[in-house]
């Protein structure tokens, strides 16, 4: 079945540091890939997505590229801010739009000033 | 816009009792709502998918008689954990999908502790 493996934390960075959160997946065909973010006390929010190979999703300075050859969707940000402190989840939806999301375990990021 | 609320945010109940968790879409109509369960340091696991006015579709391994889901209106779905046991203690999260839209909007979650 479909599965997602992502970096586990927690991770602590200083403000303006570079961030990479690795995410790899196992799925048949061409799934859609997502990064969700959960700020303290709030629900998960869609951060970015990519629906086909080589697509790049981007939002709020975060980027992730759908790499079919390496089955990866790594999240990057060049300069993190304190406000980026949150839990980040990588997820996929199977090809054909089944609407079922499969999540990674999530990674807690803390950014210190 | 697209806000989903859950109530309560935190509940403690005694073993053998039932507890109901509400999921509401506050500013949109949700034809489909999803219920997830999350254990500490684990992924969110989909429990069931509910469509307004019809029976919920449960994932394999989820006891439908234990986790009763009702989606009676386009803005409200409820999850009732019946005869709760300590192993049901977990974080329950709902999400809702708007009519004609693709994205799921998530609630903040409900922490259930069964003593």
């Amino acid at each position: 079945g479909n599965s997602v493996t992502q970096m586990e934390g927690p991770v602590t960075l200083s403000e303006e540091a570079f961030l990479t959160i690795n995410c790899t997946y196992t799925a048949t065909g061409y799934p859609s890939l997502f990064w969700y973010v959960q700020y303290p006390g709030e629900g998960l929010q869609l951060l970015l997505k990519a629906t086909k190979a080589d697509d790049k999703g981007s939002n709020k300075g975060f980027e992730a590229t759908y790499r079919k050859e390496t089955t990866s969707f790594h999240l990057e940000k060049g300069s993190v801010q304190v406000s980026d402190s949150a839990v980040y989840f990588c997820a996929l939806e199977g090809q054909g739009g089944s609407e079922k999301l499969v999540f990674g375990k999530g990674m807690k990021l803390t950014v210190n000033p | 816009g697209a806000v989903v609320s859950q109530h309560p945010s935190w509940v403690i109940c005694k073993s053998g009792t039932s507890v109901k968790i509400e999921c509401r879409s506050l500013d949109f109509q949700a034809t489909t709502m999803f219920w997830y369960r999350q254990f500490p340091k684990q992924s969110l696991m989909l429990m069931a998918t509910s469509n307004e006015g019809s029976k919920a579709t449960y994932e394999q391994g989820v006891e439908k008689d234990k986790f009763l889901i009702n989606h009676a209106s386009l803005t409200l779905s409820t999850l009732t954990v019946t005869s709760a046991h300590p192993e049901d203690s977990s974080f329950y999260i709902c999400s809702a999908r708007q009519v004609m839209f693709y994205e799921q909007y998530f609630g903040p979650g409900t922490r259930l502790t069964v003593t």
Side-chain angles (χ1 to χ4, degrees):
Chain A
N2 296 340
S3 66
V4 174
T5 302
Q6 68 173 103
M7 267 177 66
E8 296 184 37
V11 169
T12 301
L13 296 175
S14 297
E15 205 165 24
E16 298 184 3
F18 183 83
L19 170 70
T20 298
I21 305 177
N22 289 338
C23 173
T24 57
Y25 68 89
T26 301
T28 54
Y30 291 84
S32 294
L33 302 174
F34 307 85
W35 276 100
Y36 282 86
V37 59
Q38 185 175 31
Y39 299 104
E42 299 182 15
L44 274 73
Q45 301 173 24
L46 179 63
L47 180 59
L48 53 84
K49 67 180 180 184
T51 57
K52 60 182 187 293
D54 299 325
D55 265 1
K56 177 185 284 188
S58 61
N59 185 24
K60 299 181 180 180
F62 291 89
E63 292 183 341
T65 301
Y66 189 144
R67 300 290 188 196
K68 179 67 174 175
E69 62 276 16
T70 55
T71 61
S72 64
F73 193 54
H74 304 321
L75 183 69
E76 297 183 336
K77 185 172 186 180
S79 176
V80 294
Q81 305 301 312
V82 173
S83 58
D84 294 325
S85 298
V87 181
Y88 293 83
F89 294 89
C90 185
L92 72 80
E93 180 185 78
Q95 184 175 356
S98 67
E99 304 178 6
K100 297 180 183 180
L101 288 170
V102 176
F103 287 88
K105 292 185 177 182
M107 195 207 79
K108 183 176 181 181
L109 170 68
T110 301
V111 180
N112 291 325
Chain B
V3 178
V4 175
S5 70
Q6 283 185 240
H7 178 79
S9 56
W10 180 58
V11 58
I12 300 175
C13 70
K14 292 186 176 180
S15 188
T17 63
S18 296
V19 62
K20 180 184 287 188
I21 302 169
E22 292 185 349
C23 176
R24 292 182 185 273
S25 56
L26 298 184
D27 50 4
F28 66 97
Q29 293 185 327
T31 48
T32 306
M33 287 186 168
F34 304 85
W35 286 95
Y36 296 85
R37 184 173 180 178
Q38 184 181 27
F39 292 102
K41 299 184 180 180
Q42 298 294 320
S43 302
L44 280 75
M45 301 296 295
L46 180 65
M47 298 175 65
T49 302
S50 71
N51 293 295
E52 186 264 339
S54 61
K55 290 184 178 180
T57 301
Y58 291 81
E59 295 299 299
Q60 191 173 9
V62 177
E63 299 176 60
K64 60 180 66 176
D65 294 331
K66 181 168 189 60
F67 299 99
L68 301 179
I69 292 172
N70 183 281
H71 190 168
S73 78
L74 285 172
T75 60
L76 174 65
S77 177
T78 60
L79 167 67
T80 301
V81 183
T82 62
S83 187
H85 292 283
E87 57 265 31
D88 299 324
S89 298
S90 189
F91 196 57
Y92 293 88
I93 301 171
C94 74
S95 70
R97 197 172 75 97
Q98 292 189 68
V99 177
M100 301 300 291
F101 283 88
Y102 179 86
E103 183 176 343
Q104 291 184 31
Y105 297 95
F106 286 80
T110 297
R111 173 76 60 193
L112 170 64
T113 301
V114 184
T115 61

